[in-house]
Amino acid sequence: MYTIVKQGSKQAAHHIKVALEDFSKTTGLVANLAKSQVFFGGVQDAEKQAILDDIQLEEGTFPLKYLGVPMRPTKWKKEDFLLGLRNYWMNIFILPQSIVKEVKKLCRGFLWGVKGNRSKLHIASWEKICYPKSHGGLGFRDSAN
């Protein structure tokens, strides 16, 4: 469960807490507080702390993933969709090889550019691009794996 408080007040957050408690009493369903976080936008530190003390949830940080899709507090960028959605669909479905090849071709073209029918000069190999960021790569997922 994620709760987002934007320019909110302790009273508004408390109403959310009460509504969740009422829902739980009515349905028998209980939120897993260990997996629950609250996110703030435009809330002063003193108000934020009062809200956290009342609702007893941990403050979340970005980036976060919801159903495997990265969420961000700012406007999405073109590359977020290209690789994020590609990786998401490849995680949940077995895609036909023709689709995998076409997506890989589009990703390479986006990364290095294409001139006519030929790719431009590759500064780094696709294999190195797919290394984790901690190992000098860009963290792209290779569709062959």
Side-chain angles (χ1 to χ4, degrees), residues 34-135:
K35 292 183 178 180
S36 300
Q37 298 174 324
V38 61
F39 292 82
F40 295 95
V43 179
Q44 298 294 323
D45 287 340
E47 188 77 9
K48 186 187 298 186
Q49 192 56 54
I51 291 169
L52 290 171
D53 290 343
D54 180 43
I55 63 176
Q56 296 296 300
L57 290 178
E58 189 176 302
E59 181 177 1
T61 58
F62 289 100
L64 71 103
K65 286 190 176 185
Y66 179 71
L67 298 177
V69 178
M71 306 301 286
R72 59 185 315 142
T74 57
K75 188 174 179 179
W76 283 83
K77 299 176 189 168
K78 182 177 171 182
E79 57 269 19
D80 293 324
F81 287 100
L82 182 68
L83 295 172
L85 290 178
R86 167 190 171 264
N87 290 345
Y88 174 72
W89 287 105
M90 291 178 71
N91 277 326
I92 61 172
F93 295 113
I94 298 172
L95 300 177
Q97 280 302 308
S98 60
I99 300 296
V100 172
K101 285 181 183 178
E102 185 65 25
V103 169
K104 190 182 250 188
K105 178 181 167 188
L106 290 170
C107 290
R108 289 178 182 201
F110 174 79
L111 185 63
W112 291 303
V114 178
K115 187 174 184 179
N117 218 9
R118 300 182 64 187
S119 293
K120 293 182 180 177
L121 179 65
H122 297 188
I123 296 171
S125 70
W126 183 253
E127 180 183 78
K128 289 182 181 174
I129 295 294
C130 293
Y131 286 163
K133 290 179 182 180
S134 60
H135 289 86

